Every structure is written in C-alpha cells, then in structure tokens.
Amino acid sequence: MSQFLIYFQLGLKHILNIYSYDHILFLIALVIPLAFKDWKRILILVTFFTLGHTIALLLTLYGIITVKVAVVELLIPITILIVALFHLFTAGKSGKKESINLVFFVTLFFGIIHGLGFLNYFKKMHHGTSTSKLLAILESALGIEAGQLVVVLVVLILAYIVQTVFRFSKRDWTLVMSAFIIGVVLPIILGNEIWLR
C-alpha cells in the first residue's frame, strides 16, 4: 500500500505542480469551451490524456522508442498552442461538426507527447524490475488522472462563476482564455533551446 501511495502521489504531484504548469495549461485549453453538463465528454477526454501519458511511459521505459528531451520540451507547448488556437477560431461556433473520435484521438496523441515529458522524472524515482515498472506506471497513472480531474474541476467552477456572476458569454470566456494561453506558450516555444543551435 505504501508503494501505491508513493507512485499515486508522484502522478498527482506531476500534475498539481507549479513547475509543470504546461500540463495545467493543456487541461485548461482542453476544457475551456465545456461546462459541467459535458461531464461525460470531459471525463473521457481526461482519461484519454492519462492513457496517452501511460502509453508514453510504457513505450520508453521498455525501450520501444527513444526521444530527445529538447524535442519533447518543444512539442509540449506546441500541443497547447494547437488546442488554444483551435478554440480561439471556433469559439461560439457549434461543435456538432467536429468529430468526437478525432478529438479523442488527438487528445490521446497529445497525452503521449506530454507523457514523454514525465519520463525523466519517473526514471529518477523508479529503479525496479519489469513487473514493478508496470505496476508503478499504473499507480502513477491513477495519480495523474486524479490530479487532472482536480484541475478540470477548478476550471469548470471558475468558468461557471465568470459566466454567471460576471455575465461573460461562453464565447467570450473561450476567447479570453484561449488568448491568455497562447500568450503564455508562445514565449516558451520561441525560447526553446532547439532554436539556439
């Protein structure tokens, strides 16, 4: 049980950590146009994002793929930028045209990219057998899922307050938050060490 708590907390702290705000930004970008009534879709999106993290850890820890840290550190903010730009240009438009399956697939793929950013930290924390690696990955995945649900809940509560108390329209909320996220991630992308080579 103590090992479960160690890896559960590892996953939880990976998300609820001021220094890994990129994951928080991605989650905000993912759910800004959604509301409490969309809870099923939100839960599926968050779970697909967690699944992506888990797949990335499995693929890299078992030596199936290798990645360069600088590339991952560039790709993570790019995924956030893509989602924020999508919502910026589709704010106020009906979401019925977008394929739900495509959104879930993109979220899963972006989860894989974000999971690669968790890899080095996870490796430092775990030095065990193949079986214990798998168990540790699953335990940390539960922590990641819990942390993501906390972030999403806070965003939904904030969206509800802004839209009901301050009378922001859903479209305005989406535009403001998308623009804010874009403003945060663009300097991260432009400041990546990959451009300095």
Side-chain angles (χ1 to χ4, degrees):
M1 189 63 177
S2 61
Q3 181 183 307
F4 169 77
L5 286 175
I6 289 168
Y7 288 106
F8 181 85
Q9 287 177 350
L10 179 68
L12 194 65
K13 287 176 183 174
H14 173 60
I15 300 299
L16 302 179
N17 178 348
I18 194 69
Y19 299 109
S20 65
Y21 62 90
D22 49 355
H23 299 295
I24 294 172
L25 281 174
F26 182 82
L27 290 166
I28 294 170
L30 196 62
V31 300
I32 48 175
L34 303 173
F36 282 109
K37 65 181 176 58
D38 305 309
W39 67 270
K40 285 182 184 174
R41 183 174 182 178
I42 292 167
L43 189 59
I44 294 169
L45 283 170
V46 170
T47 303
F48 268 61
F49 192 56
T50 303
L51 185 61
H53 267 75
T54 309
I55 290 169
L57 286 175
L58 289 170
L59 291 175
T60 50
L61 285 174
Y62 288 102
I64 297 167
I65 62 166
T66 55
V67 288
K68 291 184 177 178
V69 175
V71 173
V72 173
E73 286 177 357
L74 176 64
L75 289 176
I76 287 174
I78 287 174
T79 63
I80 301 165
L81 180 66
I82 291 168
V83 175
L85 283 171
F86 175 78
H87 291 314
L88 187 72
F89 290 111
T90 60
K93 297 177 183 172
S94 173
K96 291 178 182 175
K97 292 178 184 175
E98 67 186 51
S99 166
I100 299 297
N101 291 334
L102 178 63
V103 171
F104 291 152
F105 174 77
V106 169
T107 304
L108 176 72
F109 179 70
F110 286 177
I112 291 171
I113 292 170
H114 283 248
L116 295 172
F118 181 45
L119 176 66
N120 286 334
Y121 186 64
F122 186 87
K123 276 182 176 177
K124 287 177 192 171
M125 295 295 293
H126 185 77
H127 309 284
T129 64
S130 198
T131 306
S132 69
K133 271 185 195 174
L134 179 60
L135 192 58
I137 289 170
L138 296 176
E139 290 164 348
S140 65
L142 289 173
I144 288 169
E145 182 81 355
Q148 290 179 162
L149 290 173
V150 168
V151 171
V152 167
L153 183 62
V154 170
V155 174
L156 291 176
I157 291 169
L158 185 61
Y160 178 79
I161 291 168
V162 168
Q163 292 175 48
T164 55
V165 176
F166 298 104
R167 302 288 186 207
F168 263 56
S169 68
K170 183 179 174 181
R171 178 182 175 273
D172 289 345
W173 163 254
T174 304
L175 287 172
V176 167
M177 290 305 293
S178 296
F180 167 75
I181 291 166
I182 291 165
V184 172
V185 297
L186 272 178
I188 297 170
I189 293 168
L190 297 174
N192 187 280
E193 67 179 61
I194 222 162
W195 308 120
L196 304 173
R197 292 177 182 176

